[in-house]
Amino acid sequence: MGKKRKHVETQVIEPAKKDEGAPERPKRTLLGWKDKPEVKETEFIPPQQGGFRNKEKVLVTCSRRINFRYRHLMLNLVSLLPHCKKDSKVESKSTKGATLNELVELKNGSSSLFFECRKHKDLYLWMVKCPSGPSVKFLVNAVHTMEELKLTGNHLKGSRPLLTFSANFDKDAHWKLLKEMIIQIFGTPKDHRKSKPFYDHVFVFSIVDDHIWFRNYQISVPHNETDKIARGGLDKMTLVEVGPRFCLNPIKIFGGSFGGPTLYENPFFVSPNQIRALEKKQKAGKFAKKVKAKTRRKMHELSNPLEPDEFADMWKE
């Protein structure tokens, strides 16, 4: 049996008195300061900490059986928009709206650009804010891709664009709505992980004959040491076109996503099917004129017969 230890009285160590003159420093840990300074309600919080942050993401996809030129146009837009996400082709049916809304939700997106090709000839562009709308349906004309144009302009991939609009975007309500949708979809969010913090190209949207014409220009600046440009000096800056080019003809504006109540309908829109039907009628009119000319010739020959020739049978004997 072990010996018992002697009982030793524990001495109570008094804590050192704090110096009331100097405030105590907060303790620092691996995760930061242990005692954070309280933020008053009246103090201003900068936008980097708690303000609005643009988290726009655009889903870009197309329908099946799309033409190669239209597919190249879609790939050009994908290269111009660093905040977009590309997906596989979607069947162009009546249920495409529900399918695309589900795809946008799976990709954590807020907008969609859907290229719908019909009859291997006509290209329609759906510009949609998902899932509540609004949505716009365009007919795309005058398509010229970057590979087709071979222009001399060039800019950084992923750089942020300047968006410029013509003055007539502020005239009517439907043009104002289209301008706001274009700003939200084509404008690259600030501090996006795939974007570069430079402005070296311009997206130009102009309205001519109730059509929206798109152009992309590079901002060219001389980089020689002798030709340095001060801020605001726009005299030596030039614009060089990069591409692509296309023209958007608005058809309808819907209140929902890929459908819903019609907010605006273009009264001057003529579908390409009607244009082709008129061209066929004109060609059919030419053929009908030829048939009528033949029948008139036959009727003329019957009504005016030739007199019998007295020397017709001379050489038969």
Side-chain angles (χ1 to χ4, degrees), residues 17-292:
K17 293 183 179 180
K18 298 179 182 178
D19 189 5
E20 296 179 356
E24 185 182 1
R25 290 184 65 184
K27 294 181 180 179
R28 190 172 185 180
T29 61
L30 293 175
L31 301 177
W33 299 101
K34 193 170 183 181
D35 299 329
K36 293 183 179 180
E38 296 181 358
V39 180
K40 297 180 181 180
E41 295 180 357
T42 57
E43 290 182 3
F44 172 73
I45 301 174
Q48 289 81 4
Q49 297 181 9
F52 171 75
R53 184 182 176 187
N54 188 1
K55 296 183 179 180
E56 185 77 22
K57 292 181 183 177
V58 184
L59 176 72
V60 181
T61 183
C62 63
S63 63
R64 295 189 181 276
R65 295 172 292 276
I66 192 171
N67 195 358
F68 72 96
R69 293 183 68 244
Y70 300 150
R71 182 168 49 84
H72 290 176
L73 174 66
M74 182 192 72
L75 294 177
N76 291 157
L77 283 181
V78 168
S79 65
L80 291 177
L81 304 177
H83 61 289
C84 76
K85 292 187 176 182
K86 192 175 65 171
D87 206 284
S88 57
K89 296 178 180 178
V90 178
E91 193 67 39
S92 179
K93 293 182 178 178
S94 59
T95 58
K96 65 177 180 292
T99 307
L100 287 167
N101 283 331
E102 188 175 355
L103 282 174
V104 172
E105 187 179 357
L106 289 173
K107 295 283 185 179
N108 293 326
S110 56
S111 306
S112 175
L113 290 175
F114 178 59
F115 292 85
E116 184 179 4
C117 185
R118 293 183 182 176
K119 297 186 178 180
H120 298 277
K121 300 177 183 178
D122 308 327
L123 179 65
Y124 296 91
L125 173 63
W126 285 87
M127 195 180 292
V128 185
K129 296 294 292 180
C130 297
S132 58
S135 58
V136 191
K137 186 178 181 181
F138 297 98
L139 175 67
V140 186
N141 295 320
V143 175
H144 299 283
T145 60
M146 289 184 184
E147 296 82 4
E148 180 183 351
L149 292 172
K150 295 182 179 178
L151 297 169
T152 57
N154 190 14
H155 58 78
L156 284 172
K157 186 175 182 181
S159 58
R160 300 179 67 195
L162 293 172
L163 302 180
T164 61
F165 298 88
S166 57
N168 44 8
F169 266 99
D170 297 327
K171 287 185 178 179
D172 299 326
H174 63 280
W175 292 123
K176 291 180 182 178
L177 175 61
L178 290 177
K179 178 181 177 180
E180 184 61 32
M181 291 187 68
I182 290 171
I183 289 173
Q184 293 185 19
I185 292 176
F186 284 88
T188 304
K190 187 180 179 182
D191 299 330
H192 191 271
R193 60 187 180 87
K194 290 186 179 180
S195 68
K196 297 181 178 64
F198 308 111
Y199 289 98
D200 63 344
H201 63 289
V202 185
F203 289 167
V204 181
F205 298 90
S206 54
I207 300 175
V208 180
D209 297 332
D210 293 326
H211 291 61
I212 301 176
W213 296 81
F214 173 83
R215 294 290 184 270
N216 180 23
Y217 296 99
Q218 174 202 358
I219 303 173
S220 180
V221 181
H223 291 287
N224 299 329
E225 293 183 359
T226 58
D227 296 336
K228 283 187 177 180
I229 296 178
R231 286 195 174 184
L234 302 177
D235 299 334
K236 296 184 180 180
M237 292 185 184
T238 56
L239 295 179
V240 185
E241 188 172 357
V242 182
R245 298 176 179 174
F246 56 88
C247 172
L248 300 177
N249 185 9
I251 303 173
K252 282 186 179 182
I253 300 177
F254 300 98
S257 177
F258 293 99
T262 303
L263 303 180
Y264 170 78
E265 185 173 0
N266 189 1
F268 305 106
F269 174 72
V270 180
S271 69
N273 290 332
Q274 294 179 358
I275 297 172
R276 285 192 288 267
L278 290 174
E279 290 177 353
K280 284 185 179 179
K281 282 184 180 179
Q282 290 177 358
K283 292 180 181 179
K286 290 181 182 179
F287 179 73
K289 286 180 182 178
K290 290 181 181 179
V291 173
K292 286 181 181 179

